Amino acid sequence: MIASRTERVLGYLLLSVAVIVTVLPLVSMFSAALQPADRNPTGLTWPTDPQWGNFATAFETGHVWQLMGSSMLIVLGVVPASLIAATLAGFALGSLQVRFGRAVLVFFILGLTIPFEALIIPLYYQAQSLGTVNTPWAVIFPLIGLYMPFGVFWMRAHFINVPRELSEAARVDGASLWREFRSIQLPLAMPALSALAILLFIWTWNQFLLPVVLIADPLQRTVAGALTFFQGQYSLSIPLLNAGALIIITPAVVLFLIFQRQFIRALVQGAVKG
Amino acid sequence: MTDRAVAAVAAPRPDGTAAATTAPPRRAAAKAAARRGTLAGWLLLVPALAAYVSFVVWPLIQGVQYSFYDWNGIGVARWVGVDNYFTVFTDPDLLGAIRNAFVLIAFFTIIPVGAGLVLATLIRGLRSKAFAASAQTVLFLPQIIPLAAAGIAWSWMYAQTGAVNQILGWLGLGWITRPWLADYGTALPAVGLIGSWVLTGLCTVLLLTGLGKIDVSLYEAVRLDGAGWWREFFTITLPGLRQEIAVLVTVTVIAALSSFDIIYTSTQGGPGRATLVPGLSIFRIGFTQSDVGLASAFGIVLMVLVLVVVLPIQRLSRASDS
């Protein structure tokens, strides 16, 4: 592309500003986290005597191990079950000619526009009558349902793009439907599946409303839900609050930096596929 | 929000793919497939449908039912008809929450999509692919951290001794510094800008993908015509991105109308009710004031609001397609 020099310089400049603004809040958290825990910190300053111990304190008093454990438990409850159900349904709607399949698809897609906030009241009373309130199940069950419209839509979009000839060939070779699914379709679906797995992991990990409402003990919530606990715990110490929040967001950020290609592609594909 | 964001990214064109990709069927094979497919297909759908119906559709029906009752969650429920809906549309606090949600659209939708357009065009024009890639990664970062954490990070940024005031001081703008989230006049825009921060990366990356699909020769042609950045943007870039823009507007509008996490951890709706939004109202009315009927009615109203705003965007983007 032919671009003039001024345009290029201006471009780099604007982009750099955007990048700086994006990382600024995280840097400011970091600088606050390193200031003395018992004093009101000031904005962006590299403290003369950085208190690395704040991270240890926040880790300890924030019961971070326990938090990560309960978050992981919820993730392990939500993600595999969602993946299995969404893959089976996506295969049915994408590869098989299911009668009324179209109506089922529309039925699922309607669920994409429902804000969680609109369902939270009935979900609470449902959990109460199921006896799951204050247990991980109170969050796990609804999340599986709430993610299902997207999961089904996503997997169907994959399966519908698999060439028909493949399953016809399998059939000619005498493969059963199950065999075809296991040996041909599933391996081909792996990229779509792993992208969905990444998305569901991060959404569950970051889920805030459901755990806050449905689990009273903050230490049994997801990591994001536990942030309210940090706010209560460290209401008197901004450095410790920031240290705690930073610890909390680090695993997801690290995961993102490792898998960022898959991550961004996954999110963008969601839009392109339709 | 990210979850809903992506869910809705996917939502807009649910029915486009089927017709386009099905190969012309050989009749016998198609019939056999249909026979083979239907029963097994329905069996495969059972787990997904069960989860969806049990934990989305059924609660939704329950919510509609609750909304017609006066119920404190424990005692006897009393039928009140549409009284709760009447309250939603007359109570100044609740109306204020709805109004705030619509104000947030400016920050969750207009700013991120606008900034995304500029940033995506800039990134596309970069010579340095390494810089382009890393800029993209960094801009996307806010999508990964919990919204609740964004609320905490920014409430510290906006604090009296926080970075925002500090930077304003450096710029010689010390006279406008204030605790931004505690000021009635600035709290809502300040909260809104947190949303802009979160969503700009998503918009940039998606628009960048859209740009990749625009024919490069169009750009060369318009440049040969002597057009500058500005005209190139309006004659080629913007029209070519219509579809992506429609998707992003849908996603971000839903995020604006159903914002909760950011508000909860940054302002709790305050000062006063300056940043109260429907999600937070539902939470408070339902769980603090134990007015289950009213909270449910507000939940249903929120859902309908989202539909009313989002469906016309869908229709528009589809119409502009054909």
Side-chain angles (χ1 to χ4, degrees):
Chain A
M1 197 190 304
I2 320 147
S4 77
R5 209 185 131 76
T6 10
E7 279 177 34
R8 272 213 319 276
V9 172
L10 198 70
Y12 276 102
L13 202 74
L14 271 172
L15 261 177
S16 307
V17 170
V19 166
I20 290 169
V21 170
T22 306
V23 294
L24 196 63
L26 301 173
V27 174
S28 115
M29 276 177 119
F30 193 62
S31 104
L34 290 177
Q35 299 183 39
D38 54 355
R39 243 175 294 153
N40 215 7
T42 45
L44 293 164
T45 33
W46 186 254
T48 42
D49 175 23
Q51 308 283 311
W52 296 99
N54 284 346
F55 285 101
T57 313
F59 201 92
E60 196 67 33
T61 53
H63 304 277
V64 172
W65 279 129
Q66 196 184 340
L67 262 177
M68 299 272 173
S70 43
S71 302
M72 215 50 219
L73 193 71
I74 292 175
V75 166
L76 287 176
V78 172
V79 178
S82 304
L83 288 179
I84 292 170
T87 307
L88 296 179
F91 176 60
L93 294 176
S95 297
L96 308 175
Q97 267 106 46
V98 178
R99 194 177 296 220
F100 307 118
R102 185 124 217 100
V104 175
L105 182 67
V106 171
F107 180 58
F108 273 118
I109 282 168
L110 284 177
L112 284 176
T113 53
I114 303 177
F116 289 16
E117 287 82 358
L119 290 179
I120 193 64
I121 301 280
L123 281 175
Y124 176 79
Y125 288 99
Q126 184 187 37
Q128 209 173 51
S129 63
L130 290 174
T132 55
V133 174
N134 293 332
T135 72
W137 299 111
V139 174
I140 293 172
F141 287 143
L143 281 184
I144 295 174
L146 286 161
Y147 293 154
M148 205 47 70
F150 180 77
V152 171
F153 178 83
W154 178 270
M155 290 315 296
R156 173 191 170 271
H158 160 76
F159 283 114
I160 204 139
N161 283 318
V162 175
R164 290 275 140 209
E165 287 74 19
L166 265 178
S167 66
E168 274 166 27
R171 218 166 297 144
V172 169
D173 286 350
S176 68
L177 189 62
W178 173 244
R179 184 72 207 276
E180 178 202 329
F181 177 71
R182 273 267 12 216
S183 317
I184 298 173
Q185 299 284 1
L186 210 52
L188 282 175
M190 277 334 266
L193 252 174
S194 46
L196 183 59
I198 294 178
L199 292 177
L200 291 179
F201 168 80
I202 212 83
W203 295 342
T204 309
W205 192 257
N206 288 348
Q207 176 51 230
F208 182 74
L209 176 66
L210 259 62
V212 163
V213 169
L214 296 166
I215 303 179
D217 176 6
L219 296 178
Q220 290 194 40
R221 292 176 183 164
T222 61
V223 153
L227 283 169
T228 57
F229 165 70
F230 279 33
Q231 280 194 308
Q233 183 93 334
Y234 306 128
S235 57
L236 295 176
S237 173
I238 292 176
L240 284 182
L241 174 63
N242 282 300
L246 275 177
I247 292 174
I248 284 286
I249 64 179
T250 301
V253 170
V254 168
L255 205 75
F256 166 65
L257 292 178
I258 297 172
F259 291 110
Q260 46 129 338
R261 260 165 211 280
Q262 289 88 328
F263 236 105
I264 293 179
R265 202 184 306 143
L267 274 157
V268 168
Q269 266 174 5
V272 181
K273 266 185 181 170
Chain B
M1 175 173 50
T2 326
D3 41 0
R4 247 185 330 270
V6 181
V9 165
R13 282 154 283 137
D15 41 44
T17 35
T21 46
T22 312
R26 271 164 274 160
R27 234 164 239 202
K31 257 195 179 158
R35 263 201 311 278
R36 203 160 97 116
T38 283
L39 181 66
W42 274 97
L43 279 174
L44 296 176
L45 284 169
V46 167
L49 277 171
Y52 178 53
V53 170
S54 314
F55 296 101
V56 177
V57 179
W58 179 244
L60 186 61
I61 295 169
Q62 289 279 294
V64 172
Q65 196 197 345
Y66 294 159
S67 72
F68 295 113
Y69 285 87
D70 179 16
W71 185 40
N72 64 11
I74 303 162
V76 181
R78 190 171 59 90
W79 173 267
V80 291
V82 294
D83 272 17
N84 288 323
Y85 289 94
F86 185 75
T87 310
V88 171
F89 288 112
T90 50
D91 185 296
D93 287 351
L94 302 190
L95 281 178
I98 294 176
R99 189 191 58 93
N100 287 345
F102 277 91
V103 172
L104 288 182
I105 290 179
F107 295 94
F108 281 60
T109 304
I110 298 174
I111 293 181
V113 174
L117 278 169
V118 175
L119 295 174
T121 351
L122 290 177
I123 291 179
R124 186 178 181 278
L126 285 184
R127 291 254 173 98
S128 157
K129 292 305 157 211
F131 186 73
S134 35
Q136 199 178 333
T137 305
V138 173
L139 289 172
F140 202 77
L141 199 59
Q143 276 289 308
I144 304 307
I145 72 172
L147 285 170
I152 291 179
W154 277 92
S155 52
W156 161 234
M157 290 276 291
Y158 283 133
Q160 182 67 61
T161 57
V164 170
N165 283 338
Q166 190 184 19
I167 291 169
L168 288 172
W170 291 341
L171 296 175
L173 294 169
W175 48 277
I176 58 166
T177 58
R178 69 194 74 193
W180 297 89
L181 293 176
D183 184 306
Y184 276 85
T186 58
L188 190 60
V191 164
L193 284 173
I194 309 178
S196 314
W197 178 75
V198 170
L199 289 164
T200 296
L202 179 73
C203 293
T204 308
V205 170
L206 185 58
L207 291 170
L208 201 53
T209 312
L211 280 178
K213 287 185 292 188
I214 298 177
D215 193 349
V216 184
S217 60
L218 288 175
Y219 282 105
E220 282 160 4
V222 80
R223 283 275 162 161
L224 285 177
D225 276 357
W229 196 91
W230 205 241
R231 228 181 84 202
E232 177 186 281
F233 180 77
F234 279 101
T235 51
I236 313 284
T237 306
L238 210 49
L241 291 175
R242 229 174 17 204
Q243 201 66 60
E244 281 76 13
I245 293 173
V247 169
L248 284 172
V249 169
T250 311
V251 172
T252 53
V253 162
I254 294 180
L257 292 181
S258 56
S259 51
F260 176 81
D261 309 19
I262 291 176
I263 310 276
Y264 189 93
T265 51
S266 64
T267 63
Q268 289 274 344
R273 292 181 178 76
T275 58
L276 191 65
V277 288
L280 190 61
S281 297
I282 294 169
F283 177 83
R284 285 216 187 126
I285 298 167
F287 299 112
T288 315
Q289 302 165 25
S290 297
D291 189 343
V292 177
L294 181 58
S296 300
F298 205 2
I300 303 297
V301 169
L302 174 62
M303 200 184 77
V304 173
L305 274 179
V306 168
L307 282 177
V308 165
V309 177
V310 162
L311 287 182
I313 304 171
Q314 297 309 314
R315 193 149 295 176
L316 270 179
S317 80
R318 246 177 248 175
S320 66
D321 252 3
S322 51

